[in-house]
Amino acid sequence: MKNTMEYKGYVGSVEFSEEDGIFFGKVMGIRSLISYEGTDARSLVEDFHGAVDDYLQLCEGQGKAPEKAYKGSFNIRIAPETHKQLVIHATACQMSLNEYVRETLEKAVM
């Protein structure tokens, strides 16, 4: 079972509140709060799609570009020794640090 869904390039979470008896979620990876809910899977998906469409229409009406999630760039904080070891491994593989980390991360999630 997947706990996310995707629409127009936006990824939304899927959660369930036993107390309220509803499914709910929010669009992940952007600063704007876009939330949605439904009493069943179909209504959750419909509300997610509607919330994304509303957000895109609002941005267009305000003349601003909508935020894009997961632009392919992120910063991480690691220990200096870990950084050093990554550079050593990347160099040994004749790769840049960026290439080495990208390839390693891709292998981890595939």
Side-chain angles (χ1 to χ4, degrees):
M1 181 167 105
K2 215 166 72 162
N3 291 333
T4 61
M5 53 188 164
E6 189 170 346
Y7 178 65
K8 294 187 176 179
Y10 292 92
V11 177
S13 63
V14 176
E15 299 185 51
F16 179 71
S17 169
E18 183 177 4
E19 182 180 326
D20 298 321
I22 62 164
F23 293 94
F24 65 96
K26 67 178 183 174
V27 173
M28 303 182 316
I30 63 174
R31 290 180 302 246
S32 297
L33 176 59
I34 304 172
S35 60
Y36 42 87
E37 64 181 50
T39 55
D40 56 34
R42 180 167 296 174
S43 63
L44 179 71
V45 170
E46 288 173 2
D47 202 43
F48 170 56
H49 290 189
V52 169
D53 288 338
D54 289 348
Y55 170 69
L56 295 173
Q57 285 180 326
L58 177 66
C59 290
E60 184 179 334
Q62 294 177 344
K64 70 175 192 174
E67 290 180 73
K68 293 290 182 188
Y70 313 112
K71 296 175 250 183
S73 176
F74 72 101
N75 295 314
I76 60 170
R77 288 174 181 76
I78 57 176
E81 184 60 28
T82 303
H83 188 177
K84 175 184 169 185
Q85 291 302 316
L86 286 168
V87 171
I88 290 169
H89 284 274
T91 302
C93 294
Q94 297 180 333
M95 301 170 83
S96 70
L97 177 59
N98 189 70
E99 290 171 317
Y100 183 78
V101 170
R102 179 188 48 77
E103 190 173 288
T104 302
L105 292 173
E106 286 174 353
K107 286 177 184 175
V109 298
M110 297 299 174

